Amino acid sequence: MEKNVTRVEATMIGCSPVPEPGVVPEPPGPLEGLNENDSTEAGEYRHDDHANVMTDLLVMAIQCDVTRVVTHMLDDSRSELEYRCIPEDVRAKVGLEYRQESSLHFHASQHGPGNLDRATEEGRYRIIEESNLDFAAINCWLGQKAAQLAQRLDAIREGDGTVLDHSVMVYMSEMRTHDHDAYDLPIVLLGGDGVFLNDAHVAYDPLGSDRQLRDLWFTIMNQYYDLGVASFGDDLRGEPNALLEEILR
């Protein structure tokens, strides 16, 4: 994609290529993440710069119609990055004291203090132990980066709306919190061109009587893209696919 977007002509209608991005160095080995200030042949690594370059590339590729399908992983595959890039104001949002260049290690924070029960109280999972602030600050920063991408897409006019209006953006994690459990996943759905609810929060029933993630993809494929898919994915309980009616307008 990076090679394609840099070949796009600036004269294309509605296309405003960003300057060619700088080199983003590769990790030094399998599954190893670069950390802030690590020296590379291209200079010192800056995680915030890396995230911003990726946003530029994604926006340009979509605006120039090089692609309309993007999968963007904001963190590395094992969450080994040390988030020294998170500024003071973001840390303050979660009540974390700022120390210059102090490191927030994502993987360590995932196994740090904080735990949710599998049981619920008044419709919410009972908090056994409050989440550690390092984990909260990192996720606040990641959320801001996702919001910046959405804002950039929403600023591009397209037909009777914006590029974001005419897209479906799904922001999520494969973990519900830092316990590595893959249920009760927090998911943000943006765009959708009037198909999905806006400014709404939908909470499904707890584990055992919940809805499957595959039904979200099933709903997007059929209600937004009108693909007429009969089924998608497997349910170990043997339940058939069903639309997530609660998220539809």
Side-chain angles (χ1 to χ4, degrees):
M1 185 187 76
E2 292 178 16
K3 291 179 180 178
N4 287 336
V5 297
T6 55
R7 285 199 294 264
V8 173
E9 294 293 335
T11 56
M12 287 182 62
I13 297 175
C15 178
S16 304
V18 297
E20 184 173 349
V23 175
V24 176
E26 292 295 324
L31 298 180
E32 293 183 19
L34 283 171
N35 293 308
E36 202 80 0
N37 302 324
D38 279 357
S39 295
T40 68
E41 292 182 3
E44 290 187 343
Y45 178 73
R46 294 283 185 269
H47 191 45
D48 192 71
D49 291 346
H50 190 169
N52 292 337
V53 164
M54 291 306 302
T55 296
D56 285 343
L57 284 169
L58 298 182
V59 171
M60 183 168 64
I62 293 172
Q63 183 182 16
C64 298
D65 218 16
V66 175
T67 184
R68 280 289 175 142
V69 180
V70 171
T71 301
H72 181 32
M73 188 167 64
L74 283 161
D75 191 69
D76 75 348
S77 58
R78 283 198 59 202
S79 303
E80 297 292 356
L81 284 169
E82 295 181 9
Y83 284 79
R84 297 190 183 100
C85 61
I86 299 180
E88 182 176 5
D89 64 319
V90 174
R91 301 186 193 213
K93 286 180 184 294
V94 300
L96 183 64
E97 182 182 354
Y98 179 72
R99 288 175 289 121
Q100 184 73 28
E101 294 294 327
S102 61
S103 172
L104 308 181
H105 189 267
F106 201 13
H107 201 160
S109 72
Q110 290 169 8
H111 294 276
N115 192 17
L116 293 177
D117 200 349
R118 287 178 174 241
T120 60
E121 288 181 350
E122 298 181 354
R124 296 177 177 233
Y125 287 97
R126 186 171 65 87
I127 297 175
I128 298 176
E129 184 180 23
E130 291 286 348
S131 175
N132 65 86
L133 299 182
D134 287 13
F135 184 80
I138 292 171
N139 277 280
C140 182
W141 184 84
L142 293 172
Q144 285 189 344
K145 290 302 172 186
Q148 288 167 9
L149 173 58
Q151 289 167 347
R152 292 277 299 278
L153 296 177
D154 197 44
I156 303 171
R157 299 298 307 174
E158 183 180 62
D160 59 354
T162 70
V163 169
L164 182 63
D165 291 333
H166 301 154
S167 306
V168 176
M169 180 175 170
V170 181
Y171 172 57
M172 64 177 294
S173 168
E174 75 281 6
M175 304 187 303
R176 67 168 184 162
T177 177
H178 48 68
D179 52 16
H180 288 271
D181 281 332
Y183 64 90
D184 193 36
L185 298 178
I187 300 172
V188 178
L189 198 63
L190 301 167
D193 201 20
V195 173
F196 303 107
L197 289 177
N198 290 326
D199 301 320
H201 176 258
V202 176
Y204 285 99
D205 292 332
L207 190 65
S209 56
D210 54 348
R211 297 299 301 273
Q212 299 291 293
L213 179 60
R214 66 179 189 139
D215 284 344
L216 173 62
W217 311 130
F218 179 77
T219 302
I220 291 174
M221 286 188 289
N222 284 320
Q223 299 303 108
Y224 184 75
Y225 291 105
D226 198 24
L227 294 180
V229 175
S231 66
F232 182 80
D234 296 317
D235 186 327
L236 296 179
R237 301 172 297 186
E239 297 288 336
N241 278 119
L243 296 176
L244 298 181
E245 301 282 358
E246 298 84 357
I247 69 172
L248 301 173
R249 293 188 64 174

